[in-house]
Every structure is written in C-alpha cells, then in structure tokens.
Amino acid sequence: RNRRIILAVKSIDKSKIRRLDHLQREIQLLRKMNHRNIIKMIDCYEDAERVHIITERYTGGELFDLIHKKANAQTTTGC
C-alpha cells in the first residue's frame, strides 16, 4: 500500500549566506536531533545556487508569531 508523506523544503540562497561553514554545522546538528518537539530533518542537498533542507511538515504556524501573540495577550491582561 502506498503511503503519502507530505514534507517541507526550505531553500536557502547561498549568495545571501556570509559563512557557509555555519550553515553546514547547523545542518550536521539537525541531522543528529531526535526530539519530539523539534522538527526532524529528513535530508539535505545543494545545487549551484541554493541549499535545500527537507524536513517534516509542520502546520502549527511560526514560533515567532505564537510568542508575539502570547506576549501581547499578557501585556493586555496585565499578567
């Protein structure tokens, strides 16, 4: 039986990265991560212009937006 898995791809323009070695180190760390609260990296490849990081798909929105929303709610309620 075929099972479809939806993944996410983040493509990073190499010309906009000052230190490619930092990105490579981050990718190596992502490969080793195995935690239920961290999106798992499935694979990574690069072409002439970009580095592509394939991860599990997450549909919960951006973490920054959630933090910002909670901070605004606390400010409004005075908590």
Side-chain angles (χ1 to χ4, degrees):
R1 175 174 161 180
N2 288 338
R3 186 175 151 211
R4 291 186 179 204
I5 299 172
I6 299 173
L7 301 172
V9 177
K10 180 178 183 177
S11 297
I12 304 164
D13 188 339
K14 288 197 244 181
S15 69
K16 296 184 179 181
I17 298 171
R18 285 185 259 172
R19 300 268 321 254
L20 196 55
D21 60 319
H22 286 189
L23 178 60
Q24 291 167 336
R25 185 176 59 194
E26 182 176 345
I27 289 168
Q28 290 303 318
L29 289 172
L30 286 172
R31 280 189 203 281
K32 295 176 184 178
M33 289 287 179
N34 187 14
H35 190 278
R36 67 177 192 205
N37 294 331
I38 299 175
I39 291 176
K40 183 174 181 163
M41 186 178 90
I42 306 299
D43 200 1
C44 179
Y45 67 96
E46 66 180 281
D47 57 32
E49 294 92 27
R50 293 178 184 83
V51 174
H52 307 278
I53 301 172
I54 297 109
T55 63
E56 297 172 320
R57 183 170 171 236
Y58 176 71
T59 59
E62 294 288 330
L63 178 60
F64 175 81
D65 294 336
L66 179 63
I67 293 169
H68 185 71
K69 186 180 193 180
K70 284 189 175 195
N72 283 341
Q74 288 176 350
T75 303
T76 305
T77 61
C79 295

